Amino acid sequence: MAESKLHFWLRLSWVVAYVLMLVAALNHLLRLNTDAIAYMRVAEYWSTGNFDFAVNGYWGPLLSWLMVPFLWLGVSPLFAGKMAMLISGGVFFHGSLFLVRAVGLRLVDELILAFVLALMIPGWMAENVTPDLLVAGLMAFALGQAVSQDWLMNRWRSLGGGATWGLAYLAKAVALPVGVVASVLLALCWRLGQAENRSAVWRQLGQSLGLFALVSLPWIVVLSLKCLPSFRSAQGRPPAADLCSLSEPPPCIAALAAALAGAFTISFRIVPFPIFSSTDASLSASGTPLLRISSSNIRACALVMSGNPPFLRI
């Protein structure tokens, strides 16, 4: 098949993918997983400037940030969540195709993958509102930059890789240790294969990790400033003051320590710390009806719901 025809079919696959993703999002507005409630509620906190609840170490902020512009337009959180997933699906779709091109596969291989993704991504979007597609797509972009043939001599490749790793961390904290380790390992591969230009490898790696840190560090600092003082003074504060007012190590501290240590098993879904202290607590300062949450419930989605949200009455 001529290359021009392959390009035509590739562009057509883009159209098919976005049409199917949009249809899936609009036709399944009411289909939500557990995490969806939490991310939409956190997005509402960001949109209204309630930073005390918006900033937390359990849910990555990037997916909720994608919902905020839609909430400012006055749409429902359900619609905003599905639009954020539409953006996430687009990032994963194009990130995967970029990785295929970067490793040197044929155009026909990219076309096959494009149609496979166009059929698979809408099904995931219909069932879930999570950052998994977003972080996977950003990781694909970062890996594609690192394995591109001109990575060694093109500073924009290293900077692009670092920036996308940083954004992936904002989507999901597991990207922090994975990004650091993957960047170092790929740089070592470049060094072993480029005997005549080894010094350039460390320059490129330094630029990549430097921008990675520049993007990631502000959120790490914000979490530290919010959670460390709260944890130290938890004994003298109301138990429902914020996400970090705990009598045991909070998820944000545990996750930050694990990430900085390079733990591969970091997952905020399994952090074994209770959400509140020993007494039941409610999250509201407005006097609205509250959802009573027991300390035995370690699912943080209940934590950030803060009560009967306007888009899901309980």
Side-chain angles (χ1 to χ4, degrees):
M1 186 181 295
E3 186 171 342
S4 59
K5 290 185 178 180
L6 287 176
H7 280 291
F8 167 78
W9 286 105
L10 183 61
R11 300 298 184 271
L12 181 61
S13 70
W14 294 9
V15 175
V16 172
Y18 278 100
V19 168
L20 292 179
M21 286 190 286
L22 182 61
V23 170
L26 296 179
N27 283 348
H28 298 87
L29 284 177
L30 299 181
R31 299 190 69 171
L32 300 173
N33 58 316
T34 306
D35 291 356
I37 307 299
Y39 282 107
M40 288 187 287
R41 191 58 172 169
V42 171
E44 287 194 318
Y45 292 146
W46 284 111
S47 67
T48 58
N50 190 347
F51 301 126
D52 193 40
F53 286 163
V55 176
N56 67 89
Y58 200 100
W59 308 101
L62 189 56
L63 185 65
S64 296
W65 289 348
L66 293 178
M67 303 179 196
V68 170
F70 297 100
L71 295 177
W72 285 342
L73 294 175
V75 303
S76 70
L78 289 170
F79 183 82
K82 293 298 183 177
M83 290 301 100
M85 286 304 298
L86 178 62
I87 297 172
S88 301
V91 171
F92 181 72
F93 180 80
H94 291 290
S96 301
L97 298 185
F98 176 75
L99 182 58
V100 167
R101 291 194 301 271
V103 299
L105 294 181
R106 300 171 301 168
L107 187 60
V108 65
D109 298 320
E110 183 180 351
L111 176 62
I112 293 172
L113 178 63
F115 275 105
V116 171
L117 292 175
L119 297 176
M120 293 182 62
I121 294 176
W124 174 268
M125 290 176 51
E127 300 289 339
N128 302 280
V129 177
T130 71
D132 299 303
L133 280 178
L134 184 59
V135 70
L138 291 169
M139 285 182 174
F141 272 115
L143 292 172
Q145 299 282 1
V147 300
S148 296
Q149 295 181 359
D150 61 341
W151 179 84
L152 198 61
M153 305 306 298
N154 189 340
R155 63 180 297 187
W156 296 110
R157 291 294 188 190
S158 61
L159 293 175
T164 47
W165 277 121
L167 291 174
Y169 162 68
L170 295 177
K172 205 166 187 178
V174 68
L176 181 61
V178 171
V180 172
V181 174
S183 298
V184 173
L185 290 178
L186 288 172
L188 289 174
C189 292
W190 276 102
R191 187 183 186 280
L192 294 174
Q194 297 288 332
E196 71 282 358
N197 200 4
R198 292 182 175 181
S199 61
V201 173
W202 304 122
R203 183 189 68 243
Q204 293 292 89
L205 177 61
Q207 291 175 349
S208 180
L209 292 180
L211 190 55
F212 187 4
L214 188 64
V215 176
S216 305
L217 197 58
W219 183 247
I220 295 175
V221 171
V222 168
L223 286 181
S224 301
L225 293 176
K226 181 177 190 293
C227 296
L228 284 173
S230 300
F231 176 57
R232 292 195 184 105
S233 60
Q235 297 298 328
R237 299 177 63 181
D242 56 52
L243 293 182
C244 299
S245 297
L246 308 175
S247 58
E248 298 183 44
C252 47
I253 300 302
L256 182 59
L260 294 177
F264 287 99
T265 57
I266 184 173
S267 174
F268 291 123
R269 300 178 187 278
I270 58 173
V271 176
F273 300 126
I275 295 305
F276 290 116
S277 58
S278 58
T279 58
D280 286 352
S282 302
L283 288 176
S284 178
S286 61
T288 55
L290 301 177
L291 175 68
R292 304 296 293 179
I293 304 173
S294 170
S295 60
S296 62
N297 183 358
I298 64 171
R299 294 295 295 175
C301 59
L303 212 178
V304 295
M305 279 175 62
S306 82
N308 289 337
F311 53 90
L312 184 63
R313 296 294 178 186
I314 295 180

